[in-house]
């Protein structure tokens, strides 16, 4: 946390008015700049990433990609041995063709039967029988199509395709190695959309000014900040909260790098402060001695905050640039000097 110290420009003014021969130390009030901030580190992540695996066991028969390769959406990344599933899918496709041929035959037969029924060449029962055969053929065709789709889906479980365009981060395994269900074979990420994830202590998170964008620095280079996500939940084990800072497109930082993150804390506005020695307690009020052009100190009531590090924040009654007596007791003694007005 970096808090700039208040600046009070000190000078020594010799007050030579009547009866005021003693030099009086004065101060010119300057604003304190509370640039309180909290520094932390975050990790660069891809906004889109995937660890791809197959839900079945098998030997890796194809592995056409390597780490660092750029792939397009839908590109083949890996395939495991699924010959039985492929054969089943091919057989189902043949069954679909046979069912569709039978359906066409049933439709033609029913059309002829309808024409004969209109001419009263066949009975109504013969027409009903032809219609029943057509419905049976239609049901069989639907069942074969559904079975073929299921077999095709089963065959698709044996290969991995890129769900989006990106970069291969890691390839786990080699050709011929056994791949188990759920085992990540290929790790893929989209390097065009990055973010920095920072863990802040919950006590600090509550003091962060969320209206001020965090600063990100990577190896001395400032990164351009985009959308910011403030996670409201506190992790029970670490007592931290997460802040995700999305980077603007084109950021040069690689995934996995550490980035320095700076957050502005609330209450960092400019503020006047006066040293404790310059304050005069007047019953329940606070006052300071103003020294104007005439060189004579005059009492002014002010409103001060709580003391901190030997000084008081000014809440009301003073402006930056005004000159006050550095020592209230000395100023009070000078005002009581005979001849003072």
């Amino acid at each position: 946390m970096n808090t700039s110290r208040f600046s009070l420009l000190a000078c020594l003014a010799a007050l030579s008015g009547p009866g005021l021969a003693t030099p009086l130390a004065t101060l010119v009030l300057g604003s304190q700049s509370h640039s309180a901030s909290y520094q932390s580190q975050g990790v660069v992540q891809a906004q889109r990433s995937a660890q791809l695996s197959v839900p079945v066991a098998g030997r890796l028969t194809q592995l056409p990609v390597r780490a660092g390769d750029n792939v397009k959406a839908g590109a083949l990344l890996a395939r495991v041995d699924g010959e039985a599933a492929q054969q089943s899918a091919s057989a189902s496709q043949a069954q679909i063709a046979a069912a569709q041929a039978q359906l066409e035959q049933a439709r033609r037969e029913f059309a002829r039967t309808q024409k004969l029924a209109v001419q009263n060449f066949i009975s109504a029962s013969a027409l009903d029988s032809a219609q029943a055969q057509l419905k049976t053929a239609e049901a069989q065709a639907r069942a074969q199509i559904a079975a073929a789709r299921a077999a095709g889906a089963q065959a698709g479980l044996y290969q991995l395709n890129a769900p989006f365009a990106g970069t291969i981060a890691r390839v786990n395994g080699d050709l011929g190695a056994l791949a188990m269900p759920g085992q990540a074979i290929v790790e893929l990420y989209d390097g065009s959309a990055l973010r920095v994830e920072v863990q802040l202590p919950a006590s600090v998170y509550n003091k962060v000014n969320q209206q001020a964008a965090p600063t990100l620095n990577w190896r001395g280079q400032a990164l351009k900040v985009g959308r910011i996500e403030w996670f409201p939940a506190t992790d029970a084990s670490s007592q931290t909260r997460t802040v995700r800072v999305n980077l603007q497109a084109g950021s040069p930082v690689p995934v996995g790098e550490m980035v320095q993150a700076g957050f502005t804390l609330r209450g960092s506005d400019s503020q006047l402060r006066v040293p404790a020695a310059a304050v005069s307690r007047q019953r329940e009020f606070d006052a300071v001695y103003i020294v104007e052009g005439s060189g004579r100190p005059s009492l002014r009531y002010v409103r001060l905050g709580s003391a901190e590090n030997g000084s008081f924040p000014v809440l009301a009654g003073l402006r930056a640039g005004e000159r006050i007596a550095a020592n209230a007791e000395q100023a009070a003694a000078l005002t009581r000097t005979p001849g003072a007005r």
Side-chain angles (χ1 to χ4, degrees):
M1 185 181 298
N2 298 324
T3 306
S4 61
R5 301 182 63 85
F6 69 87
S7 59
L8 291 174
L9 306 178
C11 65
L12 187 64
L15 305 182
S16 55
L20 294 177
T22 305
L24 177 65
T26 63
L27 299 169
V28 177
L29 293 176
S31 297
Q32 175 193 7
S33 179
H34 287 280
S35 55
S37 64
Y38 182 84
Q39 301 295 320
S40 184
Q41 286 188 323
V43 180
V44 178
Q45 301 175 342
Q47 295 183 27
R48 288 201 301 175
S49 61
Q51 294 185 341
L52 305 175
S53 62
V54 291
V56 292
R59 299 284 177 182
L60 285 168
T61 58
Q62 292 187 43
L63 201 60
V65 295
R66 291 291 180 267
D69 290 351
N70 295 318
V71 297
K72 296 181 179 180
L76 177 66
L77 304 180
R79 180 179 282 122
V80 300
D81 183 14
E83 185 64 24
Q86 292 293 343
Q87 293 295 336
S88 177
S90 299
S92 296
Q93 292 296 328
Q95 291 175 354
I96 287 177
Q100 288 177 337
Q102 293 175 359
L103 178 59
E104 284 299 319
Q105 179 63 28
R107 285 172 176 169
R108 287 193 296 267
E109 186 65 29
F110 179 68
R112 285 194 297 268
T113 303
Q114 278 185 315
K115 289 181 181 180
L116 292 175
V118 171
Q119 298 172 3
N120 295 321
F121 291 144
I122 61 172
S123 64
S125 61
L127 177 63
D128 292 342
S129 177
Q131 188 174 17
Q133 290 177 358
L134 175 61
K135 290 182 179 179
T136 300
E138 289 175 341
Q140 288 177 345
R142 288 194 296 268
Q144 292 295 337
I145 291 173
R149 287 176 177 172
Q154 182 69 20
L157 299 179
Y158 289 81
Q159 70 180 35
L160 293 178
N161 297 89
F164 52 83
T167 303
I168 304 298
R170 187 181 181 88
V171 177
N172 303 308
D174 300 295
L175 286 177
L178 179 63
M180 299 302 295
Q183 171 192 343
I185 300 175
V186 177
E187 299 178 21
L188 176 70
Y189 71 92
D190 180 5
S192 65
L194 303 176
R195 69 188 179 203
V196 175
E197 186 166 296
V198 184
Q199 304 298 327
L200 293 179
S203 58
V204 174
Y205 182 98
N206 294 327
K207 299 177 182 178
V208 171
N209 180 7
Q210 297 185 10
Q211 303 304 315
T215 60
L216 299 178
N217 189 283
W218 173 67
R219 299 184 181 179
Q221 181 177 357
L223 301 178
K224 295 182 179 179
V225 174
R227 183 170 55 91
I228 304 170
E229 301 174 63
W230 304 89
F231 285 44
T234 300
D235 182 79
S237 58
S238 63
Q239 288 298 298
T240 60
R241 291 188 184 181
T242 301
V243 181
R244 281 182 178 170
V245 184
N246 295 291
L247 302 180
Q248 294 187 11
S251 296
V253 58
V255 171
E257 288 281 320
M258 298 297 293
V259 171
Q260 191 74 17
F263 296 86
T264 302
L265 303 182
R266 290 194 300 269
S268 59
D269 296 331
S270 297
Q271 191 175 48
L272 293 178
R273 300 186 74 89
V274 294
V279 178
S280 174
R281 295 288 181 176
Q282 302 289 325
R283 296 181 181 177
E284 69 271 22
F285 299 105
D286 294 322
V288 298
Y289 285 90
I290 300 295
V291 181
E292 296 180 334
S294 63
R296 296 180 179 277
S298 59
L299 192 67
R300 180 187 295 178
Y301 291 101
V302 296
R303 188 156 60 93
L304 306 176
S306 300
E308 181 181 359
N309 296 327
S311 66
F312 293 88
V314 178
L315 304 181
L318 291 172
R319 299 187 307 272
E322 289 190 297
R323 189 184 301 275
I324 65 172
N327 189 297
E329 293 184 2
Q330 182 187 14
L334 290 175
T335 58
R336 291 193 297 269
T337 300
R341 298 178 183 177

